[in-house]
Amino acid sequence: MTRPLPAALALLAAAALVASAGGLVVANADLTPAEVNLLFAMREYTLTYNEYADRLPGWVTGPFEDEKVNLHITSPDGVLVIGVTFQDRKIVQFDAKGCPDPMVTVTADNATVREVMTSDRPFAVFRSAMKHGTVTIEGNTLIGTLRAGMVGFGLRVMDLLGL
């Protein structure tokens, strides 16, 4: 797989179990069976993102290079909050109860997360979800707001250029 993935797409993928030097890092893993299934389903996708993260443009991965982000995945059962830790543009850990003081919060519905994960064109699915409001990125700090705006601006420029 050689297709590039945007940083915000990585945030969707952040719900995955992520390999680190010592194995899988999962904090506060008190999850329902459905949540565990979603997390394991996304594991390979996150690992793929990490493999290609260094090749992605800086405007895609740079805003969240060494930050903590909360991912809210909505479903009929409620909201699963995942705290995502990025280090050197890669996802290194998630916390199943969220991060305190995250830079941004990304919200997506369960169906969109699964569609992005299974699509042959995940970037196109993500961009469409952003346009239709099924994925949102909200800054929780001034810097987070600026960085989230940078990602949104980059996506709009790509739309204008027809990329």
Side-chain angles (χ1 to χ4, degrees), residues 22-162:
L24 298 177
V25 178
V26 181
N28 297 319
D30 182 20
L31 305 172
T32 68
E35 292 167 341
V36 170
N37 287 340
L38 176 62
L39 296 175
F40 274 104
M42 294 180 72
R43 179 177 186 265
E44 185 175 332
Y45 202 74
T46 298
L47 296 174
T48 299
Y49 166 79
N50 281 348
E51 181 180 334
Y52 290 98
D54 292 333
R55 300 179 199 170
L56 297 173
W59 73 266
V60 173
T61 57
F64 311 104
E65 183 172 1
D66 290 309
E67 301 294 344
K68 292 187 178 190
V69 173
N70 277 345
L71 170 64
H72 293 200
I73 303 173
T74 61
S75 74
D77 297 328
V79 177
L80 173 62
V81 178
I82 305 288
V84 182
T85 302
F86 287 88
Q87 185 175 20
D88 296 326
R89 297 183 180 201
K90 295 181 180 173
I91 301 165
V92 296
Q93 180 176 349
F94 73 89
D95 184 318
K97 301 237 187 239
C99 294
D101 303 319
M103 171 190 275
V104 298
T105 297
V106 176
T107 303
D109 63 24
N110 192 353
T112 301
V113 171
R114 290 190 181 276
E115 186 178 358
V116 167
M117 190 172 59
T118 59
S119 174
D120 290 337
R121 299 185 59 214
F123 188 46
V125 171
F126 173 78
R127 286 172 61 185
S128 176
M130 286 284 294
K131 284 181 192 176
H132 294 100
T134 56
V135 172
T136 61
I137 304 171
E138 180 181 342
N140 297 326
T141 65
L142 177 59
I143 299 295
T145 300
L146 293 172
R147 291 182 182 180
M150 187 170 88
V151 170
F153 178 75
L155 292 173
R156 283 189 296 278
V157 168
M158 291 180 74
D159 288 341
L160 288 172
L161 297 175

